[in-house]
Amino acid sequence: MFNLEKSIQIWKRQLRRSPAFEDGDIAELESHLRDEMERLKAEGLSEEEAFYKATKTFGEPDPIADEMYKTKTTKTVATPPWKESKWMPAMISNYLKVARRNLSQNKLYAGINISGLAIAIVCCLFIYLFIHNELNYDRFHEKEDRIYKVTRLMEGNDGFRKIGITSAPFADALKIDFPNTIEEVIRIMPSDGVVTIDNNNFTEDRFYIADANLFDVFSWPLIQGNPETVLSQPYTVAISEETALKYFGNEDAIGKTIRVNNDNEYEITGVFKKPPNAQSHIEFDLVASMETFKNAAFYSGWWWNNLHTYILLAPNVQPEQLESQLTSFINKYFGDNIAQNNRRIELALLPLSEVYFANDIQYDSQIAHGDKTIIYMFGIVALLIIIVACVNFVNMATARSVSRAKEIGIRKTLGAHRSNLMAQFLGESLLMSFSAGILSFLIVYYTTPLFEQLTGKNISISLFSPQILFFSFLFILITGLLSGIYPALFLSSFEPVKALKEKINFGVSQLFVRKGLIVFQFTVSSLLIIGTLIVNQQLNFISNKSLGFESNQLLNIDINLSVSERLETFQQSLEQIPGVEISSAMSGTPGGFYDNYLFRAGENWDQTHTLKTLFTDHNFSEVMDLNMLAGRDFSNEYASDSTNSVIINKTAADMFGWTPELAIGKRFQNQFLDSTARVVIGVVEDFHFQSLYQPIAPLVVAMNDDRREFLVKVESENINGTLTSIEEVWNEFSPFFPIEYHFIDQQFEQLYENDTRQRSVFAVFTFIAVLIACMGLFSLASFNAEKRRKEMGVRKILGADFSSILILFNKEMLMTVFISFIIAAPLTYFLAELWLQNYAYRISNSYQSLIIAGLVVLTLSLITISYQSIKIALSNPVNNLKND
Amino acid sequence: MISKELMAASTRPLILTILKRGESYGYQIIQDVKKLSGGTLEWSDGMLYPVLHKLQKDGCIQSRWEVSEEGRRRKYYAITDTGREELATAKQQWLSVHEVLKKLWGPSPEWA
């Protein structure tokens, strides 16, 4: 049944919803409606029909209300306050005010939140810079996609070995044999030299030698000199901008001459520049023309492998096209050798972009190498750290939400939509993440040198380059959104009445999520701690492992030409120095370079073996304090030792299935150097002449003149005095070239330099991850403490003592941490096993480090939690029970 | 139908003209407009009131409440001197526009 008065009431209520209509307005409109209905009824409509028709002609209340509002405001562009603004929420100033008040009221939480996130962003920025740097090696060469490095594959005892260096004749042969596929061939030979300018000597470690097309194939910009002719003549050299500045200041370097190695004059025909942001696997300061060495012995020797060969493929030629023909190329030039030794030789092409990461290539030590595993590792660590920091953010925001429940209740009561609240909380987290972002940029800006020192890398890209800025902006935005979305969803879902009555149920699922997140954080922390401990143990193990010889006070001196000419007399003068016990000249010292040679040996004379060799004099075992397991050492008494005898190590004897005693008298012939077979006169005990990554290799020791290093045993007393005396002796023999020496311990340390760096970088990141996780735990503990304040007050009044409250409080949290440790332990065990497989000599994957890590994690979290639990256990129950 | 823009522009002089003839209330004003225009001017009725209130705020009209014989409360509006002035100006403007259009669309339609 239609009730007019009720319908009009409903209609008026509809009008009242809009703040624009005041009571008087509504009365006026009502009288209008009634007038219109009267007219309609007079036309014969029923009451009900009249009402509907009248309200229809009256129109929708909403646009009328908008117009009405405009008559009541003085603003020219009047959007009613109850309407959403098109470009900015009307509440923005309020949101900002509330956000600022929230931050300043909870300085601790805000501090933890922002600094935690900032630290995480700093880590990620550094890791990004590092990875970016690594991945951009050699990318600045414009013809990068067509440049390939020529590598050799040499068949060894088991499979092929990849070798990075080639000999000079390859270049011309390749160019002649493949005129259509190869556009350019270029050789780069790493070398060093002493440069003399006006009686000033400069020792240049990166004085390279290269073909004339260097600046054509590669993209180092030539800022002075003609690129067509720069290195085409003998005795010409191009130098870097920095070197030019060092030599001549601001004078023009072109046309000047430099004296090299106190021997020849070179004319400077070019000055090149290292472009900014350019990283290359080959770095040189000076480069002389290859043409200069056209008549040198190495230039025509197919086996004189001392340089790097690169080819530039013709456009649109696929490397496979060339690779398929390389076998016949090798057969053409090395056919005899292959037939004689029954060992294959192959050539392979390595794309320029992969040269930097090609770690499996031997004899490549002069060029810079990176490690993809480290890039992956760093990437994962960055991801973990940022997730841990985000988790903190989420955890803290939800935990803090209790104290904001009332605010949310009031906002909702006053008409805030859920979307308004979500925008507010997302906005707050974005505000936090952007503050953290700005903070982290400042930190990165001021600590980049520290990071470079830690990683041993030069970060070439600027922090403020557009791509970094864009990446960071995106990253900070995503972090802010990611960490804000969960609290935003959770907080905005509060029912206003419950929120105001503080009856929000933080239910089981809530608690579960928060604990789950804590478990995740501490799993990551435990993982990193255990990882660091294992890396540490392994590296300690390596540096403490006996190398099998006396490495203390062993000095390595590089022999140069002037000394090698008078080796015997130099050695005699050396041994007359009081602090020098004994010395020996050899082809390579432990931790250094060892040649591979092809041998025929033992009973099966047809079979060839690739064996490491050491050429030395008869002092070699004495200087390293090695014992003979069988037979005898080289001796002055046997003149034939220098041509007829070899000593092998125990591994070599094992390889042939001989006991040391049985090995004596067996025959060995170096296919390359010896015209007749030599006889084994002794078997020496095994010693580590290579890094501990590799197992001890079979070694053949022979007396030979090819000796490049001096190994000198010095007395531990007055080492500095001894070194000065050695230097004096050196200067008598080689007045021009300065002495270069180092201790063997250092040489070994250098082999593990990468690992040592990894250890410190890893340790820093671990520390940060643990710190962030502890920050999270701390704020969660304070939240818990706050929530249970009253409960603890009651417990204390009913007689609970200090310790029982402490235990009660800590138990729950520590359980969570413990669970995460249980998850992390097997995972780390597995990962550590993978890493340890790199080493031939390694610690057994011990439970010890797991236990230590477990204790560390538990102790740290106990300390973190206890701050809050002790505080609450000591607090006065009266204060806790007083209502706030 | 007359366009929204033209409607908005013409409402004020329309109301003022009607009120110049004597006091009236909202409903009556609408009825007058409808009658005069023969139905070509049509508003949603409610839209009149914001215009009335705006005119009152600008001082062109004033209002008072009165109770009718049937006991219904009505808000009567009357034109003020300011209103008359505004109406005179508006009339001047409308007429000049009208003149121009009339010439353009007149007997010798050079432009139409």
Side-chain angles (χ1 to χ4, degrees), chain A residues 32-51:
Chain A
H32 172 105
L33 192 73
R34 284 181 192 275
D35 283 341
E36 172 74 357
M37 277 172 54
E38 233 153 69
R39 189 182 64 82
L40 292 168
K41 272 197 280 182
E43 282 177 3
L45 268 66
S46 75
E47 199 165 61
E48 189 175 0
E49 285 166 337
F51 174 77

Side-chain angles (χ1 to χ4, degrees), chain A residues 541-542 544-551 554 588-592 594 624 626 649 651 685-697 699 744 747-748 751-752 839-842:
Chain A
F541 170 78
I542 279 189
N544 294 332
K545 183 171 168 39
S546 162
L547 292 170
F549 64 93
E550 195 48 66
S551 64
L554 262 189
T589 54
Y594 283 77
M624 284 192 276
L626 296 169
N649 71 350
T651 308
E685 63 178 340
D686 277 337
F687 64 100
H688 287 281
F689 57 92
Q690 289 172 300
S691 80
L692 292 166
Y693 292 119
Q694 294 135 314
I696 294 174
L699 180 72
I744 290 296
Q747 189 158 311
F748 267 89
L751 292 175
Y752 311 121
Y839 290 87
Y841 301 92
R842 42 161 282 189

Side-chain angles (χ1 to χ4, degrees), chain A residues 82 84 408-418 420-421:
Chain A
W82 62 91
E84 282 287 340
I408 293 155
I410 289 169
R411 279 185 191 279
K412 281 205 159 180
T413 313
L414 293 180
H417 286 285
R418 193 168 177 191
N420 298 136
L421 287 170

Side-chain angles (χ1 to χ4, degrees), chain A residues 24-25 27-40 54 56-60 63-65 67-68 70-74, chain B residues 25-28 30-31 34 42-55 57 63 65 68 70 72-77:
Chain A
D25 303 334
E28 187 182 15
L29 299 180
E30 185 189 350
S31 94
H32 172 105
L33 192 73
R34 284 181 192 275
D35 283 341
E36 172 74 357
M37 277 172 54
E38 233 153 69
R39 189 182 64 82
L40 292 168
K56 193 162 175 283
T57 47
F58 185 83
E60 283 296 314
I64 299 172
E67 288 302 308
M68 199 63 107
K70 281 185 196 163
T71 71
K72 288 175 181 166
T73 179
T74 48
Chain B
Y25 56 96
Y27 180 71
Q28 189 58 50
I30 285 183
Q31 293 310 311
K34 282 182 181 167
E42 248 188 81
W43 305 331
S44 81
D45 293 359
M47 274 309 208
L48 176 75
Y49 292 92
V51 186
L52 281 172
H53 288 216
K54 180 76 176 135
L55 278 167
K57 200 179 172 210
S63 68
W65 283 99
S68 71
E70 313 98 77
R72 185 165 299 153
R73 295 208 310 158
R74 284 199 181 116
K75 201 174 183 184
Y76 277 82
Y77 295 91

Side-chain angles (χ1 to χ4, degrees), chain A residues 502-774:
Chain A
E502 295 190 332
K503 275 187 181 159
I504 292 294
N505 186 10
F506 289 94
V508 187
S509 69
Q510 257 309 304
L511 208 65
F512 194 74
V513 169
R514 262 211 306 281
K515 279 197 177 161
L517 290 174
I518 290 274
V519 166
F520 172 80
Q521 283 188 316
F522 275 83
T523 306
V524 171
S525 304
S526 313
L527 202 132
L528 288 172
I529 291 180
I530 302 169
T532 311
L533 285 175
I534 289 178
V535 170
N536 210 13
Q537 269 185 3
Q538 170 66 16
L539 292 180
N540 282 342
F541 170 78
I542 279 189
S543 45
N544 294 332
K545 183 171 168 39
S546 162
L547 292 170
F549 64 93
E550 195 48 66
S551 64
N552 284 340
Q553 280 97 46
L554 262 189
L555 190 67
N556 177 103
I557 305 174
D558 295 346
I559 298 175
N560 66 13
L561 213 64
S562 13
V563 172
S564 72
E565 280 164 357
R566 291 184 286 165
L567 207 59
E568 310 270 291
T569 38
F570 177 72
Q571 190 166 8
Q572 280 160 16
S573 327
L574 213 55
E575 286 177 3
Q576 275 162 16
I577 297 169
V580 171
E581 283 181 20
I582 187 162
S583 72
S584 170
M586 43 184 74
S587 56
T589 54
F593 181 89
Y594 283 77
D595 306 274
N596 280 308
Y597 275 101
L598 211 55
F599 281 89
R600 293 185 193 276
E603 288 85 11
N604 192 352
W605 200 248
D606 291 333
Q607 205 188 339
T608 52
H609 310 273
T610 308
L611 299 171
K612 295 268 180 205
T613 54
L614 175 63
F615 302 128
T616 178
D617 52 34
H618 41 253
N619 284 346
F620 102 95
S621 66
E622 206 176 328
V623 79
M624 284 192 276
D625 200 14
L626 296 169
N627 292 322
M628 289 295 152
L629 298 176
R632 62 173 178 85
D633 201 347
F634 295 126
S635 166
N636 278 333
E637 291 161 27
Y638 300 85
S640 60
D641 272 1
S642 60
T643 49
N644 292 343
S645 312
V646 292
I647 292 175
I648 60 174
N649 71 350
K650 181 166 183 304
T651 308
D654 291 344
M655 180 182 144
F656 289 98
W658 304 324
T659 63
E661 289 74 21
L662 210 61
I664 307 297
K666 293 285 194 288
R667 293 185 306 158
F668 274 78
Q669 185 178 358
N670 185 321
Q671 286 296 95
F672 220 82
L673 300 176
D674 296 338
S675 46
T676 55
R678 293 182 182 228
V679 175
V680 176
I681 56 161
V683 175
V684 70
E685 63 178 340
D686 277 337
F687 64 100
H688 287 281
F689 57 92
Q690 289 172 300
S691 80
L692 292 166
Y693 292 119
Q694 294 135 314
I696 294 174
L699 180 72
V700 180
V701 188
M703 287 178 73
N704 186 306
D705 285 339
D706 182 8
R707 287 173 283 176
R708 309 151 211 165
E709 317 273 348
F710 252 108
L711 203 54
V712 182
K713 178 92 182 165
V714 295
E715 277 164 8
S716 56
E717 281 153 36
N718 191 18
I719 285 191
N720 285 335
T722 311
L723 288 177
T724 319
S725 315
I726 290 175
E727 226 170 310
E728 280 164 11
V729 171
W730 174 273
N731 288 338
E732 278 171 36
F733 284 80
S734 171
F736 186 72
F737 295 98
I739 186 169
E740 280 180 43
Y741 62 81
H742 52 260
F743 283 94
I744 290 296
D745 322 29
Q746 292 168 347
Q747 189 158 311
F748 267 89
E749 267 167 36
Q750 211 141 37
L751 292 175
Y752 311 121
E753 199 194 349
N754 254 341
D755 279 346
T756 317
R757 282 194 191 287
Q758 275 178 47
R759 162 164 64 172
S760 35
V761 173
F762 214 77
V764 169
F765 284 137
T766 302
F767 173 76
I768 287 168
V770 173
L771 180 76
I772 296 174
C774 281

Side-chain angles (χ1 to χ4, degrees), chain A residues 134-150:
Chain A
E134 291 290 282
L135 293 181
N136 269 288
Y137 263 79
D138 297 312
R139 298 288 164 142
F140 73 99
H141 297 298
E142 278 154 30
K143 296 171 183 168
E144 177 229 339
D145 53 329
R146 290 198 280 138
I147 303 175
Y148 291 82
K149 182 174 182 185
V150 179

Side-chain angles (χ1 to χ4, degrees), chain A residues 279-417:
Chain A
Q279 302 272 0
S280 176
H281 71 281
I282 277 195
E283 299 273 4
F284 46 84
D285 301 317
L286 297 94
V287 55
S289 67
M290 189 65 84
E291 198 63 23
T292 316
F293 301 89
K294 205 148 193 177
N295 298 318
F298 78 82
Y299 199 86
S300 49
W302 275 96
W303 280 102
W304 207 306
N305 296 301
N306 59 352
L307 48 78
H308 304 275
T309 306
Y310 300 83
I311 57 163
L312 177 69
L313 284 184
N316 302 323
V317 170
Q318 295 306 310
E320 295 78 23
Q321 270 168 267
L322 180 60
E323 266 176 334
S324 61
Q325 301 172 60
L326 287 175
T327 305
S328 51
F329 174 84
I330 286 294
N331 286 341
K332 180 173 163 190
Y333 295 97
F334 290 86
D336 292 349
N337 184 285
I338 293 169
Q340 188 194 342
N341 296 324
N342 200 22
R343 291 292 173 102
R344 283 290 321 159
I345 302 170
E346 301 282 355
L347 287 189
L349 300 179
L350 190 64
L352 184 64
S353 58
E354 286 173 27
V355 173
Y356 180 64
F357 289 110
N359 280 321
D360 55 342
I361 294 195
Q362 300 181 357
Y363 301 122
D364 220 8
S365 59
Q366 302 114 325
I367 69 176
H369 278 300
D371 192 342
K372 275 217 164 121
T373 331
I374 298 203
I375 289 182
Y376 294 135
M377 209 167 77
F378 271 26
I380 291 169
V381 167
L383 201 68
L384 287 179
I385 286 182
I386 204 70
I387 293 175
V388 166
C390 280
V391 163
N392 267 1
F393 207 94
V394 173
N395 256 349
M396 279 187 248
T398 44
R400 295 300 304 157
S401 59
V402 191
S403 61
R404 301 192 67 173
K406 273 189 186 162
E407 179 195 337
I408 293 155
I410 289 169
R411 279 185 191 279
K412 281 205 159 180
T413 313
L414 293 180
H417 286 285

